[in-house]
C-alpha cells in the first residue's frame, strides 16, 4: 500500500471507532465545559479584561481537554496486538503516525468548534483586531498540540502511568507554542499589537516538530 493509502485507511478506521464509541469527544467536551463554567463563576471581568485574559483561558481549556484524546491515541492499538502486527509488516511507520496526528487534530477541532461559541457567550468576546487571523492561529496552534501529543503518547504508551507521563513530557516542550497561541489570540482580541510574529512562530514550530516527529517515530515504534 502507498503512503497515502495507509494514512487514509488508518484515519478512516479511527474516525469510525470514535463515531461508534464517542469516548474521546464526550470526555473532552465535558472537561472543557467544566473549565468554562468554573472560570465564569470564579470572576466576572469587564469586556476589556475578558479580551486580555481570554486567550489564556481558551487555550488552557483546549490543552487539558486534548490530553483526554491524546491519552487514547494508541490505547486502542494495544488491544489484539495491533502495533505488534504493524511493526512486523512491511508498511512504513510514518503513515501510521500521520494518521493518528490527523485524527487527533479532527477531534480537537470539533471540540474547538463546539466550545468557541460558549467562550464568546460567557465572556462577551469580540475581536478588535483582524478576526480572520484567528483561523490560522487556531489551525497552527491545534496542530502544535496534537503532533507532539501524538508522538509523546506513543513514547508513554507502555509506561505504568501513561496518563501522568504524557503531560509531563508534552507541557514543557509545548511552552513556545502555548506562548504563541495565547499572545496571538490576545493580540487579535485586543487589537493592541500585531499577531503576525506569533503566527510565524507557530508555523516554524509546527514545521520543525512535524518533521522531527516523523523522522523519530519509526525508532519509537520499533522500541515498543
Amino acid at each position: 500500500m502507498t503512503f497515502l493509502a495507509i494514512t487514509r485507511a488508518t484515519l478512516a478506521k479511527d474516525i469510525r471507532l470514535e463515531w461508534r464509541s464517542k469516548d474521546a469527544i464526550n470526555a473532552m467536551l465535558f472537561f472543557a465545559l467544566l473549565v468554562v463554567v468554573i472560570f465564569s463563576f470564579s470572576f466576572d471581568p469587564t469586556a476589556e479584561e475578558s479580551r486580555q485574559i481570554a486567550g489564556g483561558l481558551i487555550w488552557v481549556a483546549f490543552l487539558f481537554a486534548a490530553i483526554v484524546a491524546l491519552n487514547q491515541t494508541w490505547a486502542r492499538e494495544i488491544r489484539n496486538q495491533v502495533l505488534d502486527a504493524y511493526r512486523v509488516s512491511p508498511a512504513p511507520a510514518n503513515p501510521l503516525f500521520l494518521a493518528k496526528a490527523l485524527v487527533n487534530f479532527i477531534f480537537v477541532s470539533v471540540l474547538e468548534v463546539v466550545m468557541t461559541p460558549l467562550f464568546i457567550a460567557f465572556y462577551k468576546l469580540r475581536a478588535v483586531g483582524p478576526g480572520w487571523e484567528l483561523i490560522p492561529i487556531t489551525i497552527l496552534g491545534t496542530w502544535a498540540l496534537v503532533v507532539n501529543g501524538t508522538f509523546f503518547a506513543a513514547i508513554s504508551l507502555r509506561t505504568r502511568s501513561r496518563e501522568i507521563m504524557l503531560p509531563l513530557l508534552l507541557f514543557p516542550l509545548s511552552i513556545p507554542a502555548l506562548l504563541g497561541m495565547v499572545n496571538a489570540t490576545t493580540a487579535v482580541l485586543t487589537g493592541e499589537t500585531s499577531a503576525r510574529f506569533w503566527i510565524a512562530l507557530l508555523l516554524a514550530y509546527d514545521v520543525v516538530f512535524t518533521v522531527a516527529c516523523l523522522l523519530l517515530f519509526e525508532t519509537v515504534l520499533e522500541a515498543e
Side-chain angles (χ1 to χ4, degrees):
M1 296 179 69
T2 64
F3 185 101
L4 290 178
I6 298 172
T7 302
R8 185 169 58 251
T10 306
L11 181 63
K13 182 259 297 181
D14 283 353
I15 292 176
R16 187 166 57 252
L17 289 175
E18 180 59 28
W19 178 258
R20 292 173 180 173
S21 66
K22 298 181 177 62
D23 292 336
I25 293 294
N26 289 338
M28 287 193 299
L29 287 174
F30 175 79
F31 189 92
L33 181 60
L34 187 64
V35 171
V36 173
V37 172
I38 290 176
F39 281 152
S40 66
F41 286 161
S42 300
F43 49 84
D44 185 20
T46 63
E48 180 61 29
E49 291 172 338
S50 293
R51 287 193 291 270
Q52 293 286 346
I53 65 175
L57 296 181
I58 291 170
W59 284 109
V60 164
F62 291 161
L63 172 62
F64 282 97
I67 293 295
V68 176
L70 293 170
N71 269 321
Q72 297 186 32
T73 300
W74 302 101
R76 295 186 179 118
E77 308 301 339
I78 296 180
R79 305 185 187 102
N80 301 317
Q81 291 78 46
V82 174
L83 281 181
D84 293 335
Y86 195 95
R87 185 168 57 245
V88 300
S89 72
N94 290 346
L96 178 62
F97 172 80
L98 183 59
K100 292 292 185 180
L102 287 173
V103 79
N104 284 328
F105 180 85
I106 292 172
F107 293 162
V108 177
S109 296
V110 170
L111 169 73
E112 292 167 350
V113 169
V114 174
M115 295 304 301
T116 297
L118 295 180
F119 274 107
I120 295 173
F122 272 94
Y123 298 102
K124 302 178 178 62
L125 298 176
R126 67 180 181 88
V128 178
W132 66 268
E133 290 183 345
L134 290 173
I135 297 175
I137 292 169
T138 302
I139 294 173
L140 295 173
T142 303
W143 183 254
L145 294 180
V146 301
V147 70
N148 283 329
T150 304
F151 181 78
F152 288 122
I155 291 179
S156 59
L157 177 62
R158 298 189 189 274
T159 58
R160 180 172 299 178
S161 302
R162 65 173 182 267
E163 292 82 4
I164 299 175
M165 185 61 65
L166 175 58
L168 290 177
L169 294 172
L170 177 61
F171 289 174
L173 201 62
S174 298
I175 288 176
L178 289 171
L179 287 174
M181 300 173 213
V182 172
N183 284 299
T185 304
T186 302
V188 173
L189 293 178
T190 61
E192 295 176 356
T193 57
S194 173
R196 292 181 181 178
F197 169 78
W198 300 108
I199 293 174
L201 175 65
L202 286 173
L203 178 60
Y205 182 97
D206 285 358
V207 171
V208 169
F209 282 94
T210 299
V211 172
C213 290
L214 285 171
L215 292 176
L216 294 174
F217 180 72
E218 185 171 0
T219 303
V220 173
L221 184 63
E222 290 175 354
E224 288 294 337

